[in-house]
Amino acid sequence: MTQITIIGVGLIGGSFALGLRAAGLDVHIIGAGRSERSLQRAVERGIIDSWSTSLTEAVENSDIVLLATPVGAIDRVMEEIAPALGPATIVTDAGSVKQSVIASAREWMQHFQNFVPAHPIAGTEHSGVEAGFATLYQGKRLILTPVEETSPEAVDVVAELWRATGAKLESMDAAQHDQVFAATSHLPHMLAFSLVETLHRMDQKSPLLHHTGGGFADYTRIASSDPVMWRDVCLYNREALLASLDEFQNGLKVLVDAIDHRDSETLEQLFTTAKETRDTKVLPTDVGGSNDGDREP
Ligand code: NAP
């Protein structure tokens, strides 16, 4: 029986455990985190078999450790668990940013070759222990970003587990990953958060939010995502996100100028390009993520 420790039994960690169970894998899953109440609830939901709030105790005899906390917690978690990891223990993560997590693993793990960085391109706007479900990863992409030192055997073990959850595997360079997802996932989340916050401010002056319709609800679904997770994505993918926001500001300026100058040609051209791109290139399973987002089932 494979012993797996999941640190952070929320949407991503919980769904991973439920996916493995649904696939019939012979696993003993230990949950670890800060809240006893959440961990106990994870046992009740059949997500984990046992739990500990001591991270070192939780990883001590495990074959595989999945880090599924917000990205900003990973460095401290790595520091804490590193001395308790066995020489063959494989550590992987699910963080939405890859270069910072790899840097932490490199700093703290004695057997850095056993660290397999990964990122599931699946999620919902819900979080916490109640949010996980077994089919979250079915047909969704799982991006592996191994580095030169990463053991191919460790990659195979992690890949096999994710395949069992139904994920389709891809590999990517970590820096490229952070740039790509800054544009396709992190930027749209920033725009959704900012749009809702803007309307909230306008609503304070003169109530208008009760007039929003289906389009607004569709567009802003991801603004219901976890604030801590997204705070950390901003802090740890800062440069790539700022570059994407710059591009967006350039595009927004073109739009504002066209509206200001009643430039119907530019407006129509811009909307046509966007419509054609959306209609032909954005596939439903590729919409980069509600929290890297994909759709709720
Ligand atoms: P979540 O539902 O909020 O779960 C996070 C879990 O981490 C909670 O169980 C929380 O439990 C625990 N936790 C938080 N801070 C901790 C700390 N300092 N030490 C130990 N445990 C801590 O979040 P999630 O959506 O599953 O996201 C987890 C990771 O997956 C993040 O790195 C995120 O970037 C990545 N990701 C998310 C999505 C998505 O759509 N949500 C998609 C792809 C990747 P306690 O509060 O009880 O400790």
Side-chain angles (χ1 to χ4, degrees):
M1 188 186 275
T2 307
Q3 184 164 306
I4 300 176
T5 298
I6 297 178
I7 303 181
V9 190
L11 169 70
I12 294 299
S15 298
F16 180 75
L18 290 170
L20 296 182
R21 293 203 193 283
L25 264 65
D26 193 16
V27 287
H28 179 87
I29 302 179
I30 303 171
R34 302 169 300 185
S35 153
E36 292 189 9
R37 197 151 163 244
S38 302
L39 292 165
Q40 189 49 44
R41 180 68 190 129
V43 173
E44 287 159 17
R45 287 202 60 210
I47 298 173
I48 54 175
D49 298 296
S50 59
W51 56 267
S52 175
T53 49
S54 155
L55 302 189
T56 48
E57 193 180 289
V59 304
E60 241 159 31
N61 296 307
S62 276
D63 303 296
I64 295 149
V65 177
L66 170 67
L67 309 178
T69 66
V71 169
I74 286 184
D75 188 67
R76 192 195 54 75
V77 168
M78 287 260 195
E79 179 183 10
E80 194 173 333
I81 65 170
L85 295 171
T89 306
I90 293 169
V91 181
T92 184
D93 80 303
S96 305
V97 180
K98 298 280 40 102
Q99 290 176 104
S100 65
V101 176
I102 292 169
S104 294
R106 199 189 289 280
E107 176 168 6
W108 299 114
M109 281 181 64
Q110 195 188 340
H111 304 283
F112 174 62
Q113 72 276 10
N114 293 345
F115 179 65
V116 181
H119 176 204
I121 311 306
T124 74
E125 67 276 31
H126 305 300
S127 57
V129 66
E130 304 295 344
F133 56 96
T135 55
L136 175 63
Y137 303 117
Q138 269 176 21
K140 304 287 161 50
R141 283 169 300 146
L142 182 280
I143 314 270
L144 293 162
T145 63
V147 294
E148 216 180 321
E149 301 96 310
T150 314
S151 143
E153 291 76 23
V155 171
D156 286 349
V157 170
V158 171
E160 205 50 46
L161 291 177
W162 280 106
R163 259 188 220 107
T165 70
K168 298 179 292 185
L169 272 63
E170 281 177 26
S171 286
M172 202 184 259
D173 170 74
Q176 187 195 359
H177 168 282
D178 289 355
Q179 272 168 20
V180 166
F181 288 94
T184 59
S185 171
H186 308 170
L187 175 64
H189 279 81
M190 295 307 112
L191 305 188
F193 281 126
S194 179
L195 174 63
V196 176
E197 191 275 333
T198 301
L199 263 77
H200 163 75
R201 273 187 283 115
M202 292 167 75
D203 189 64
Q204 303 287 298
K205 292 179 206 149
S206 161
L208 48 69
L209 277 169
H210 62 285
H211 290 301
T212 57
F216 186 80
D218 279 356
Y219 179 72
T220 58
R221 176 179 66 88
I222 57 179
S224 290
S225 303
D226 183 53
V228 172
M229 172 188 157
W230 285 100
R231 176 203 67 190
D232 286 359
V233 168
C234 293
L235 296 176
Y236 289 84
N237 203 22
R238 182 173 170 270
E239 282 74 22
L241 182 52
L242 285 173
S244 286
L245 283 163
D246 263 356
E247 283 289 347
F248 181 76
Q249 278 176 324
N250 293 340
L252 192 59
K253 176 145 190 357
V254 172
L255 182 59
V256 170
D257 286 350
I259 296 171
D260 190 21
H261 297 114
R262 297 186 172 84
D263 180 350
S264 64
E265 199 182 318
T266 300
L267 288 170
E268 199 173 322
Q269 197 176 50
L270 195 153
F271 298 150
T272 302
T273 303
K275 177 174 166 46
E276 283 173 5
T277 306
R278 175 73 169 78
D279 290 350
T280 57
K281 295 202 173 157
V282 181
L283 304 172
T285 53
D286 270 331
V287 185
S290 138
N291 315 12
D292 297 19
D294 256 317
R295 299 212 146 260
E296 278 183 274

